[in-house]
Amino acid sequence: MKPNSKYANIRNIGIIAHIDAGKTTVTERILFYTGRSHKIGEVHDGEAVMDWMPDEQERGITITSAVTTCQWQNKDIQIIDTPGHVDFTIEVERSLRVLDGAVGVFCAVGGVEPQSETVWHQADKYLVPKIAFINKMDRVGADYFRVIEMMKQRLNAKPLILQLPIGSEDHFRGVIDLLSMQQIVWESDAPTEPFKTGEIPSDLEDMVAEYRDKLIETVAEVDDELMDLYLEEAPISNDQLATAIRKVTIGLKLVPVLCGSALKNKGVQPLLDAVIRFLPSPLEAPPIQGRKPDTEELVSYTADEKGDVVSLIFKVSMAEGRKLSYVRVYSGVLKEGGDIYNPARRKTEKISRIMKMHANKRERIDSAGPGSIVGVIGLKESSTGETLCDKNNPVLLEQMVFTKPVLSISIEPKTHDDQERLEQVLEKLMAEDPTLQVKQDKDTGQTILSGMGELHLEIVTSRMRREFNTNVNVGKPQVVYRETLAKSASATGTFDREVAGHKHFAEVVLSLIPIARGSGIRFRSEVAADVIPPQFISAVEKGFKEAMEYGEKMGYPVVDVEAVVTGGLYREGVGTELAYSVATNMACREAMKKAEPFLLEPIMDVEIFVPDSFMGEVIGDLSSRGGKIESIAAKADNQIISASVPLSKMFGYTTALRSSSQGRGTFSMKFSHFDQQ
């Protein structure tokens, strides 16, 4: 395919960061300057285009990732604005899975905050090239170089400084571009005021020369061609330098760093230029890899419109009662009215309509080629994380792994009408959000809704009321524990029964052994083929995994346990998969009772930002909650306290922190691990 193909003019990027770093504000400015919107929507006014849900507008936060397309320098930029709150990490995870590049937004005051680390490492996992934009340079306490140091320490990133700020806090008025060696100045905060470029002020010339040399040296260290020129002391043109920066950015060796103040409309146009210059098109992204469903053969696909269709559903939305599937096309062309195959479900689906998305607005198109991120209507059975491809050449892309819920609430419908709607509403919400789980409590008959945190569950119940007109009574949040075993135990399970006119027999002897924290569950068989035939071992493993879903202590999932099959019995003609699965389940239940099961609870990593004068009270409160202080770091007149605290002790902490710090303390937390109470 020619380099000047239309696909070379696409950039698929995500805006990622900690909550309140300014992601949505940056995105709104991008839409304004690219001409996609004619009025800047402000988050604090509840008018941001990308935050279109009522809950987002009321709370001033992003809850669901929104997709839009705009143009800059005759290139199409497809943007996903992602949430920053830890409860909605799944939205970031599935967005990064389909993106070719990302812009990490950092607050010049807060620096690299906990959720910034989480989303940055998610981007690393999917090998996504990144640009960093240090925002809020106009805020009191802004420190550009401190944030760059934090990027090195906390993110293990190699920042490449492309801009130097001119002034900071109230005096921030522009940047010096180390590539073009010019200053870019915004003389007012008005969004329509054009910036001015000019010569570098004489009082900054020495500092700029030093950082220009550092820029060339940093790139030369990871680019052989530039290194040769550098060692020969040959002149290096701006074009040569820009080409090398693009190469090392796409190669994940360096992260270009820019700065500005999105709220004051400063720095966004150079950021757009950097997105076009340094982040990859779908043609430059690594080929997508998948496996053949039957042979497990590894295959890869490039962005070729003449190739077989390979695409991935990364999100499902049930807005306005219709199922809308968000799809990234990697190869081939999706066509309206055409058939598409889902190899995971072995089903053929019909593509009724294809939509180009702009937040919650849609534009109908007739086809979508490689690199496109579109909405598809008509997929009845396909779900998040599933592959869509040609039936004649099926392939399975790597499945997404979703985090398990850590918090539960009980819900019950308020009226008979709500009762009738509730089941359907929950099905729709779970189709949208794989981190949401629903189960019936066997003892109480209650419906238990489990999610990623208090805010997550609050938003879900709010959406039930607003979007689906279903009112529920909500019980107090309950922590979702795990169970494990204190010691090893062995047991025998025997299943000997007639089911539906057929005799079934199996006997399984196994041991359950505790293993290291965080190991999950493991299975191995030590029996000979004449004791349990090999074709039944998978049924034994299935029985073990099913048994681990419900512990003997309080019915929570069991983790950090290994099952070892040590014996059994087989009878010709009556040995069946059903019998071995059930016999294993029985043996596991018996062994768990003997093995002294106990509870593990979720432990959270908590980071608290608090003024010096309130530190004693805050630490005292954390200690009373069973928290362990990991570190305390000073920053200006504030302290950053890092601690690990049991989730069960963190309910209502927002209010407690406000009262102990006169409303000046803030905190964030994320799940760390499960450990003993």
Side-chain angles (χ1 to χ4, degrees):
M1 192 174 286
K2 295 176 187 172
N4 64 354
S5 149
K6 61 184 175 182
Y7 302 114
N9 292 331
I10 294 175
R11 300 289 181 275
N12 287 321
I13 66 164
I15 312 287
I16 61 171
H18 187 87
I19 190 168
D20 230 16
K23 296 176 305 301
T24 301
T25 305
V26 170
T27 310
E28 293 297 320
R29 268 57 184 181
I30 288 174
L31 297 182
F32 179 78
Y33 288 119
T34 57
R36 180 77 233 207
S37 58
H38 303 293
K39 174 180 176 287
I40 292 177
E42 300 293 10
V43 174
H44 51 262
D45 294 334
E47 293 180 353
V49 174
M50 303 301 273
D51 287 351
W52 55 270
M53 286 172 63
D55 280 300
E56 293 177 314
Q57 292 166 353
E58 276 180 17
R59 297 164 193 267
I61 61 170
T62 303
I63 292 166
T64 179
S65 48
V67 181
T68 192
T69 307
C70 53
Q71 282 202 324
W72 187 254
Q73 296 179 5
N74 297 318
K75 305 279 196 296
D76 284 331
I77 304 178
Q78 297 183 128
I79 303 171
I80 301 183
D81 175 31
T82 62
H85 197 285
V86 65
D87 284 16
F88 307 107
T89 304
I90 177 62
E91 290 288 336
V92 188
E93 179 89 19
R94 55 187 177 185
S95 300
L96 286 169
R97 173 74 170 80
V98 298
L99 290 170
D100 300 326
V103 175
V105 179
F106 300 97
C107 171
V109 183
V112 178
E113 296 167 286
Q115 190 61 9
S116 303
E117 287 185 64
T118 303
V119 296
W120 193 270
H121 294 317
Q122 284 173 313
D124 285 341
K125 179 171 92 176
Y126 292 118
L127 305 177
V128 178
K130 296 169 285 290
I131 287 175
F133 181 71
I134 298 176
N135 191 27
K136 304 191 180 184
M137 285 300 300
D138 59 309
R139 289 269 297 275
V140 175
D143 189 337
Y144 181 62
F145 294 104
R146 181 181 150 274
V147 180
I148 289 169
E149 282 308 307
M150 289 178 80
M151 286 178 65
K152 292 177 187 172
Q153 291 161 13
R154 293 195 173 191
L155 305 177
N156 202 21
K158 291 185 177 172
L160 179 68
I161 299 173
L162 292 188
Q163 292 179 347
L164 298 174
I166 301 173
S168 69
E169 301 184 351
D170 290 346
H171 303 294
F172 176 72
R173 59 194 190 91
V175 298
I176 293 192
D177 187 323
L178 295 173
L179 198 52
S180 66
M181 291 298 278
Q182 284 185 315
Q183 73 165 354
I184 304 170
V185 176
W186 288 263
E187 290 181 347
S188 90
D189 297 345
T192 51
E193 184 77 26
F195 59 81
K196 293 182 179 175
T197 57
E199 297 295 316
I200 294 163
S202 56
D203 60 325
L204 294 175
E205 281 179 353
D206 290 346
M207 178 182 166
V208 171
E210 180 194 339
Y211 275 94
R212 167 79 174 194
D213 286 345
K214 280 184 184 173
L215 169 66
I216 294 171
E217 197 178 313
T218 307
V219 179
E221 282 173 4
V222 290
D223 183 78
D224 293 340
E225 287 178 36
L226 207 71
M227 177 60 87
D228 292 341
L229 293 171
Y230 183 70
L231 293 174
E232 290 165 13
E233 296 186 3
I236 296 171
S237 71
N238 289 347
D239 284 345
Q240 285 174 311
L241 186 53
T243 301
I245 292 170
R246 179 178 182 81
K247 195 163 110 188
V248 296
T249 304
I250 293 171
L252 304 173
K253 293 174 181 172
L254 297 174
V255 178
V257 182
L258 301 91
C259 64
S261 167
L263 190 63
K264 298 291 175 64
N265 307 301
K266 295 172 182 172
V268 177
Q269 299 98 321
L271 174 63
L272 279 164
D273 291 340
V275 165
I276 299 300
R277 290 183 91 174
F278 306 128
L279 291 180
S281 72
L283 299 179
E284 294 161 303
I288 188 74
Q289 291 201 320
R291 293 183 181 276
K292 292 288 184 186
D294 299 324
T295 63
E296 290 294 301
E297 176 197 350
L298 202 62
V299 285
S300 60
Y301 296 86
T302 55
D304 182 358
E305 63 182 357
K306 293 181 177 156
D308 294 313
V309 174
V310 178
S311 55
L312 182 80
I313 302 171
F314 67 94
K315 175 176 164 146
V316 170
S317 168
M318 305 300 288
E320 299 168 19
R322 296 197 70 178
K323 184 175 176 181
L324 177 69
S325 304
Y326 288 79
V327 175
R328 160 73 196 252
V329 185
Y330 289 100
S331 170
V333 178
L334 289 183
K335 292 181 180 167
E336 185 175 277
D339 289 338
I340 198 78
Y341 183 63
N342 181 336
R345 296 178 185 263
R346 300 185 182 271
K347 291 279 174 75
T348 300
E349 300 250 46
K350 175 78 75 178
I351 298 173
S352 303
R353 291 183 185 178
I354 302 174
M355 300 291 185
K356 199 172 185 178
M357 304 301 296
H358 178 49
N360 62 334
K361 298 183 176 66
R362 308 165 193 171
E363 175 192 332
R364 193 166 170 179
I365 53 176
D366 56 12
S367 65
S372 300
I373 294 176
V374 292
V376 172
I377 293 174
L379 306 176
K380 291 185 172 65
E381 296 187 46
S382 300
S383 189
T384 302
E386 293 178 355
T387 309
L388 301 174
C389 59
D390 285 329
K391 189 168 187 177
N392 299 331
N393 198 2
V395 62
L396 281 167
L397 301 180
E398 184 190 350
Q399 277 275 18
M400 295 186 211
V401 178
F402 301 120
T403 315
K404 299 289 185 203
V406 294
L407 203 66
S408 292
I409 53 173
S410 61
I411 56 170
E412 56 182 37
K414 285 190 174 178
T415 68
H416 181 66
D417 287 346
D418 294 327
Q419 170 78 55
E420 290 180 343
R421 281 192 294 266
L422 185 59
E423 195 174 325
Q424 284 183 320
V425 169
L426 289 172
E427 274 180 24
K428 287 179 178 178
L429 289 167
M430 284 194 294
E432 280 193 16
D433 185 350
T435 60
L436 200 62
Q437 290 184 2
V438 176
K439 68 174 184 180
Q440 298 294 322
D441 189 303
K442 294 178 192 170
D443 300 326
T444 64
Q446 285 180 310
T447 301
I448 306 296
L449 187 64
S450 303
M452 300 308 296
E454 285 183 274
L455 181 61
H456 185 205
L457 294 171
E458 205 178 298
I459 297 295
V460 169
T461 51
S462 171
R463 289 188 62 203
M464 283 183 190
R465 188 178 68 254
R466 287 177 191 269
E467 293 177 35
F468 300 102
N469 198 25
T470 304
N471 292 300
V472 291
N473 292 318
V474 177
K476 283 185 180 175
Q478 301 289 322
V479 175
V480 179
Y481 294 92
R482 295 287 184 271
E483 295 186 20
T484 193
L485 308 179
K487 61 180 188 180
S488 300
S490 300
T492 302
T494 306
F495 185 80
D496 187 2
R497 203 171 296 172
E498 192 172 293
V499 180
H502 294 284
K503 183 87 171 160
H504 296 263
F505 175 84
E507 185 170 287
V508 176
V509 183
L510 58 73
S511 297
L512 296 182
I513 304 164
I515 52 178
R517 285 287 165 273
S519 301
I521 56 171
R522 296 204 296 248
F523 172 87
R524 62 189 165 91
S525 172
E526 292 182 348
V527 296
D530 59 337
V531 177
I532 299 177
Q535 67 265 32
F536 294 120
I537 295 298
S538 61
V540 173
E541 185 174 1
K542 179 171 174 261
F544 160 64
K545 286 180 176 175
E546 285 175 354
M548 294 300 104
E549 288 174 12
Y550 298 97
E552 287 296 307
K553 180 97 176 161
M554 290 179 69
Y556 290 111
V558 181
V559 294
D560 304 337
V561 169
E562 181 178 48
V564 183
V565 182
T566 55
L569 203 57
Y570 169 70
R571 288 182 189 163
E572 187 75 44
V574 291
T576 63
E577 287 190 2
L578 170 70
Y580 277 103
S581 181
V582 176
T584 306
N585 201 304
M586 292 163 71
C588 286
R589 294 262 154 249
E590 193 59 38
M592 278 195 282
K593 286 175 188 170
K594 298 178 189 172
E596 297 175 12
F598 62 91
L599 293 182
L600 298 173
E601 69 174 320
I603 307 296
M604 311 302 283
D605 279 339
V606 181
E607 189 166 277
I608 302 151
F609 190 84
V610 68
D612 284 342
S613 51
F614 303 109
M615 194 170 75
E617 287 178 61
V618 171
I619 289 177
D621 181 52
L622 280 174
S623 299
S624 72
R625 294 169 185 269
K628 293 177 186 168
I629 308 298
E630 308 285 350
S631 68
I632 299 173
K635 191 175 93 175
D637 296 330
N638 295 290
Q639 298 288 340
I640 302 169
I641 304 166
S642 298
S644 56
V645 191
L647 175 61
S648 58
K649 302 294 195 312
M650 287 301 290
F651 294 137
Y653 187 64
T654 305
T655 308
L657 181 61
R658 276 188 197 137
S659 62
S660 64
S661 65
Q662 294 179 10
R664 294 171 63 194
T666 58
F667 82 101
S668 62
M669 70 176 182
K670 64 179 180 180
F671 171 74
S672 171
H673 62 283
F674 282 95
D675 213 335
Q676 193 167 358
Q677 280 182 297

